[in-house]
Amino acid sequence: MSETGLDAVPRFSIIVPVFRVQGFLRACLDSVLAQEFTDFELIAVDDCSPDHSGAILDEYAARDPRVRVRHLSQNAGLGPARNAGLERARGDYVLFLDSDDTLTPGALGALADRLAATADPEILIFDYARTYWDGATRRNTLAGLLDESGAPVFPLAERPRLLDLLQIVWNKAYRRDFVEEHGFTFPAGYYEDAPWTFCTLITAQRIAVLDRVCLHYRQRRQGGNILRTTSRKHFDVFDQYARVFEHLDAHPELARWRPHMFRKMADHYLTVLDKPGRLPRGATAEFFHRAARDYRLRIPAGFVRPGGPAGSKYALLARDAYPALAGLKAAGKVRRTVRKHAGKRVRQAKRKAVDLRYRALLRRPLDENLAVYSAYWNRLPACNPLAVYEKAKELAPGVHGVWVVKKQLAEAGAVPAGIDHVVLNSPRYWEVMARAKYLVNNVNFADGVVKREGQIHLQTHHGTPLKSMGTDQKRYPAAAKGMSFRKLLARADRWDFSLSANQHTTEQWERVYPCGFESVNAGYPRNDAYYRATGRDVLDIRARLGIAPGKIAVLYAPTMRDYQVGYVPRLDLEKLSRGLGEDVVLLVRTHYFYDRDARLQALQERGALIDVSGHPVVEELCLAADALVTDYSSIMFDYANLDRPIVTYADDWDTYVRSRGVTFDLLSGRPGDTPGAIATDEDELIEVFRSGRWDDEAAAGLRAAFRARFCQWDDGHAAERVVRRVFLGQEAVPAPLPPAARTVAPSPRAAAGGSVRDPLPLAGGRLPAQRESSPADATDLDAKDLDTTDLDTTDLGLAG
């Protein structure tokens, strides 16, 4: 191992090019920085990424001196970005790591040991495994080529089948002086790995192998892979192989590799031609003719074509016989169709189950001025969709909004007056779902809903994720409840826009829903209420809830537990009410089972608390409360906008983490993680209030850091940003106000006319001063607020 120190030469320089990977970047960087072998530098190149990736890199660089960041002034592409990293590399060996992939634990140590055992070869080839969104891991199928039982170091001529490995740069460690001696760099364009990989391998004299998976190659469902992109840039492959043969021409001593490179070239060209969706319509014949030209230009003397179908395609290239190739592909398509006949019959049977009228409606033109809204599995208008609906009426008045609600709610007259609505699964429901231009929901529409070309789907979500969501839930069966992750992601594939409240949320959504949506970093529209409410509004809400003047209102809002069947109370509410004293009134918003509990009703009748479980607008409850007590509910992120005390009651944190999984350590006590005081049992919770720790200076400091992290984009204009981006096709403007320019609703004490610095008695504690509002963001309630008896549990991968 090399000496340590800022001026020492590290053993490894790990180059990470970065572009639009904010959802995966932290996992990549963490996989490197967590390695037990620490003699490395990590050179991250921000390729002018338009998302938050550059800021994430700067964040890591600020806390770890091994991370060095280079920001490019304009997007250059993968190859030039790697070159920019090479220019800064100081290590003995260079490794390349794509920013959505990860090193396996112990990888660097294993590489260092193998390099030492093989006396520093020019190239060390190691193995990798593909990882998939569903948790599956599949090792490289050609792993047998990395058998270490032969000579520890060898030239490629002794093991030429290594050329059959995937043409990638990131499964090899390159000795830096070897790279610099031969002037190897990456070209621009698609398939940039081909000339680098082939030219380095045929040039090296000393190669070694390591039969160990050192890297996990992430297989993204959508995006992140040029091979899934329809583009004329696939024509770049011709330039890349021109570079390979230029290298051969410049080095006559490498002439023996010309037949190998010719075959690799022909195979690669045919692969581009064979794979559907790579070449634009009408470009296939042009590509074939260029491939045929290269074939005839570069065919080595005495070259023998392979046998079988591949050899037949070689012959067609040799004759530039595109019509014959097209016929060959058509015949292959027929064979594949026959093989898939059984699957087609199954799909046909499913299609027959779709309502015939709905299919007819799907053929009618879209109504450009129709929007469909739904919230919480077709319950009453609420949450972010409702705030978007109200703002759209103002900014896009020509768009008519219709809400989807359940039949029993419509029949009961529960839908507010003036709101047009349709009953779920009614004839008009299928009509509006088929023809609406805009679809807005905070969960998902049913599987049977077809997303048409031209429709715009806004997924607003309903919470900042503390708990694991989406594909992360595969690791937590108690939370997943047997959901189909394939269906979950098929629903997420329909999203065009995904609304986010803060950077943490954006990164989580892009990682756990690996789909093709655009993140709208606008804040949560429902939280605009916290910046628009007046002191009069606060007092009116308290009066309607029955909170006596001068009382300190503490809102207790716990979340559900996936590991429990039914509701198990976490607190003795009578004991808590008695312990907090007569100056305090408890507002209790529990899981939906609890509001049917006779004990709760009895406590309310005795005046020990006010049951607000059925109150329809949670934002009103937050505005009315002087403080919040919650466990792991996402209501904490919303409430943080108000800059009022938050107390975390976590009596089962370890169990919750094991059963559900979390995205950060709420109880760490670190600024940004923990919103205020923590209690783990009833007596400690009472003591937190009686001692004044619920809002002392330490709690206020934690609250400020929590707001800075999670209340990032809310300022009272989130709904406007969303409507302008989604409905009007504009930029998401206005930009969020600076923290100091935001004005949040006054506290109940200030609204009542008292100075915000006047104390309120609390059995030995006090209500300290309210502070100026800082970066604001919004979140939402989770499934605790919903009657889930008829819930499609496959939809529970959405936040809350």
Side-chain angles (χ1 to χ4, degrees):
M1 182 182 295
S2 303
E3 297 179 0
T4 59
L6 293 178
D7 297 326
V9 175
R11 188 58 165 162
F12 297 112
S13 291
I14 305 170
I15 297 173
V16 182
V18 176
F19 184 76
R20 282 185 175 168
V21 285
Q22 62 182 359
F24 306 102
L25 183 55
R26 293 182 189 275
C28 172
L29 301 177
D30 290 343
S31 76
V32 177
L33 299 179
Q35 295 284 317
E36 292 183 2
F37 184 92
T38 60
D39 189 14
F40 64 84
E41 62 177 359
L42 193 160
I43 304 172
V45 181
D46 170 20
D47 191 15
C48 201
S49 185
D51 62 4
H52 200 68
S53 296
I56 294 173
L57 295 178
D58 291 339
E59 172 191 330
Y60 274 76
R63 66 174 186 247
D64 195 317
R66 296 173 297 178
V67 180
R68 301 163 59 200
V69 180
R70 183 172 183 181
H71 296 281
L72 301 186
S73 59
Q74 60 184 14
N75 178 248
L78 183 56
R82 286 174 175 162
N83 292 337
L86 275 173
E87 293 172 1
R88 302 284 180 90
R90 300 179 296 120
D92 297 328
Y93 280 84
V94 175
L95 293 170
F96 298 95
L97 178 63
D98 286 354
S99 49
D100 54 355
D101 297 336
T102 55
L103 296 182
T104 60
L108 292 184
L111 290 172
D113 291 344
R114 186 62 177 165
L115 289 171
T118 54
D120 286 0
E122 291 155 321
I123 300 176
L124 172 63
I125 307 174
F126 52 88
D127 205 8
Y128 64 92
R130 288 177 166 86
T131 61
Y132 298 81
W133 67 265
D134 62 0
T137 300
R138 297 185 181 90
R139 189 172 182 179
N140 166 32
T141 57
L142 297 179
L145 297 179
L146 300 178
D147 181 13
E148 299 177 19
S149 60
V153 180
F154 51 85
L156 184 64
E158 295 183 10
R159 297 176 71 167
R161 281 210 62 203
L162 289 173
L163 287 173
D164 292 336
L165 292 170
L166 192 64
Q167 301 161 27
I168 46 178
V169 65
W170 40 253
N171 68 337
K172 304 170 186 72
Y174 302 88
R175 208 174 67 208
R176 184 167 59 88
D177 60 3
F178 163 71
V179 172
E180 293 177 348
E181 175 188 354
H182 294 278
F184 293 123
T185 59
F186 289 92
Y190 280 17
Y191 306 109
E192 75 293 327
D193 278 8
W196 174 283
T197 300
F198 290 139
C199 293
T200 56
L201 284 175
I202 64 178
T203 302
Q205 296 299 307
R206 302 179 68 251
I207 299 174
V209 295
L210 173 61
D211 186 11
R212 184 188 192 279
V213 173
C214 295
L215 182 143
H216 280 161
Y217 175 27
R218 186 187 300 275
Q219 304 299 290
R220 291 164 67 174
R221 290 183 68 253
Q222 295 186 13
N225 191 334
I226 64 170
L227 303 184
R228 299 174 184 171
T229 304
T230 300
S231 172
R232 284 191 61 86
K233 289 189 69 65
H234 290 285
F235 281 75
D236 290 351
V237 71
F238 299 117
D239 293 334
Q240 307 301 18
Y241 279 94
R243 293 181 175 94
V244 174
F245 284 92
E246 287 169 3
H247 186 74
L248 289 171
D249 293 340
H251 296 276
E253 71 276 12
L254 301 178
R256 62 171 297 165
W257 296 110
R258 191 174 293 272
H260 294 270
M261 295 299 99
F262 177 80
R263 182 163 181 171
K264 288 297 177 185
M265 178 195 76
D267 287 344
H268 203 160
Y269 290 175
L270 289 170
T271 296
V272 175
L273 284 164
D274 286 343
K275 296 295 183 181
R278 292 198 188 182
L279 296 172
R281 183 176 300 177
T284 305
E286 179 188 354
F287 187 96
F288 181 87
H289 294 314
R290 288 194 60 178
R293 183 190 65 185
D294 281 4
Y295 187 99
R296 296 194 301 272
L297 177 66
R298 295 180 181 141
I299 186 168
F303 179 76
V304 178
R305 291 196 298 265
S312 299
K313 293 179 180 179
Y314 275 46
L316 296 178
L317 281 176
R319 302 199 309 270
D320 196 8
Y322 175 70
L325 178 69
L328 191 65
K329 292 178 68 176
K333 184 176 181 180
V334 170
R335 289 193 296 270
R336 290 192 296 272
T337 300
V338 171
R339 287 196 299 268
K340 294 180 180 179
H341 184 64
K344 182 178 180 181
R345 291 180 62 185
V346 171
R347 291 192 296 274
Q348 287 176 336
K350 291 181 178 180
R351 283 197 295 269
K352 289 179 181 179
V354 178
D355 181 78
L356 293 176
R357 183 172 182 273
Y358 180 49
R359 284 195 282 168
L361 289 166
L362 290 172
R363 293 192 292 270
R364 294 178 60 187
L366 288 176
D367 185 339
E368 299 289 327
N369 294 311
L370 179 62
V372 175
Y373 296 85
S374 179
Y376 296 122
W377 297 274
N378 307 306
R379 286 164 172 79
L380 294 175
C383 187
N384 291 315
L386 179 58
V388 172
Y389 166 81
E390 295 291 351
K391 184 57 67 171
K393 288 196 300 182
E394 173 188 337
L395 297 180
V399 177
H400 179 68
V402 178
W403 283 83
V404 179
V405 297
K406 292 183 176 181
K407 183 177 181 180
Q408 57 268 39
L409 294 172
E411 290 180 343
V415 182
I419 290 184
D420 189 8
H421 60 278
V422 296
V423 172
L424 180 66
N425 291 325
S426 67
R428 190 181 175 218
Y429 163 80
W430 290 111
E431 180 176 0
V432 297
M433 294 305 300
R435 301 200 57 206
K437 173 73 172 182
Y438 306 98
L439 304 175
V440 182
N441 207 332
N442 68 356
V443 286
N444 269 315
F445 290 103
D447 291 341
V449 172
V450 176
K451 168 69 181 305
R452 296 179 60 181
E453 183 177 356
Q455 282 185 320
I456 297 176
H457 189 318
L458 168 63
Q459 170 56 251
T460 71
H461 304 281
H462 55 277
T464 288
L466 166 63
K467 64 187 71 172
S468 65
M469 303 302 301
T471 55
D472 276 357
Q473 289 180 264
K474 287 186 67 67
R475 302 194 300 270
Y476 303 98
K481 294 180 172 65
M483 78 167 65
S484 167
F485 288 91
R486 180 185 61 80
K487 290 182 179 180
L488 173 68
L489 292 181
R491 290 189 289 272
D493 282 336
R494 300 184 299 205
W495 306 347
D496 295 289
F497 297 101
S498 170
L499 182 57
S500 184
N502 46 64
Q503 183 61 30
H504 166 83
T505 300
T506 297
E507 294 176 25
Q508 292 296 320
W509 291 163
E510 293 189 6
R511 183 177 59 82
V512 304
Y513 299 111
C515 304
F517 56 79
E518 173 189 325
S519 294
V520 181
N521 299 330
Y524 274 164
R526 62 157 185 244
N527 284 351
D528 287 351
Y530 299 135
Y531 296 88
R532 301 302 178 95
T534 65
R536 184 71 263 166
D537 295 327
V538 171
L539 295 180
D540 287 346
I541 295 168
R542 286 170 67 94
R544 282 190 277 113
L545 293 173
I547 302 172
K551 290 278 190 176
I552 298 175
V554 175
L555 174 61
Y556 172 53
T559 190
M560 63 183 296
R561 299 299 192 274
D562 298 290
Y563 65 85
Q564 293 175 338
V565 178
Y567 181 74
V568 178
R570 315 300 316 177
L571 275 174
D572 181 338
L573 293 174
E574 184 173 20
K575 176 181 178 181
L576 177 63
S577 177
R578 187 170 57 248
L580 294 183
E582 295 182 355
D583 294 329
V584 174
V585 59
L586 279 178
L587 308 178
V588 180
R589 186 177 181 87
T590 67
H591 182 269
Y592 70 97
F593 283 154
Y594 198 42
D595 64 2
R596 303 171 187 170
D597 189 276
R599 292 169 297 176
L600 181 63
Q601 301 302 319
L603 288 172
Q604 179 167 253
E605 291 172 4
R606 295 205 303 267
L609 53 81
I610 300 175
D611 177 15
V612 293
S613 299
H615 193 78
V617 184
V618 71
E619 290 80 22
E620 291 187 351
L621 303 180
C622 292
L623 285 166
D626 295 283
L628 171 70
V629 175
T630 188
D631 38 28
Y632 322 123
S633 170
S634 62
I635 193 175
M636 73 180 84
F637 303 100
D638 293 321
Y639 192 80
N641 280 284
L642 292 168
D643 193 20
R644 302 178 192 175
I646 300 173
V647 177
T648 301
Y649 179 68
D651 64 323
D652 62 341
W653 174 251
D654 291 340
T655 302
Y656 188 83
V657 170
R658 289 194 301 270
S659 65
R660 178 66 199 228
V662 295
T663 61
F664 64 93
D665 186 356
L666 180 68
L667 305 191
S668 72
R670 293 188 296 266
D673 284 355
T674 305
I678 297 171
T680 57
D681 60 46
E682 294 168 343
D683 292 334
E684 186 178 13
L685 180 58
I686 293 171
E687 187 275 334
V688 162
F689 279 94
R690 293 184 64 86
S691 67
R693 288 199 295 117
W694 64 304
D695 195 25
D696 59 13
E697 290 303 318
L702 289 172
R703 185 165 72 247
F706 193 80
R707 288 167 58 234
R709 180 181 181 186
F710 294 110
C711 299
Q712 190 172 354
W713 297 318
D714 275 350
D715 60 354
H717 300 282
E720 179 178 355
R721 286 189 283 272
V722 172
V723 171
R724 291 193 182 281
R725 180 68 190 93
V726 176
F727 288 78
L728 303 180
Q730 302 172 354
E731 293 297 319
V733 293
L737 292 170
R742 302 176 190 177
T743 302
V744 75
S747 69
R749 176 63 171 167
S755 167
V756 294
R757 299 194 179 278
D758 288 345
L760 274 174
L762 182 61
R766 56 173 294 184
L767 181 67
Q770 291 291 316
R771 292 158 183 83
E772 291 299 322
S773 180
S774 73
D777 175 304
T779 65
D780 188 289
L781 294 180
D782 49 29
K784 70 183 177 57
D785 299 291
L786 309 179
D787 178 3
T788 57
T789 53
D790 58 348
L791 200 62
D792 175 6
T793 56
T794 61
D795 232 332
L796 288 176
L798 286 169

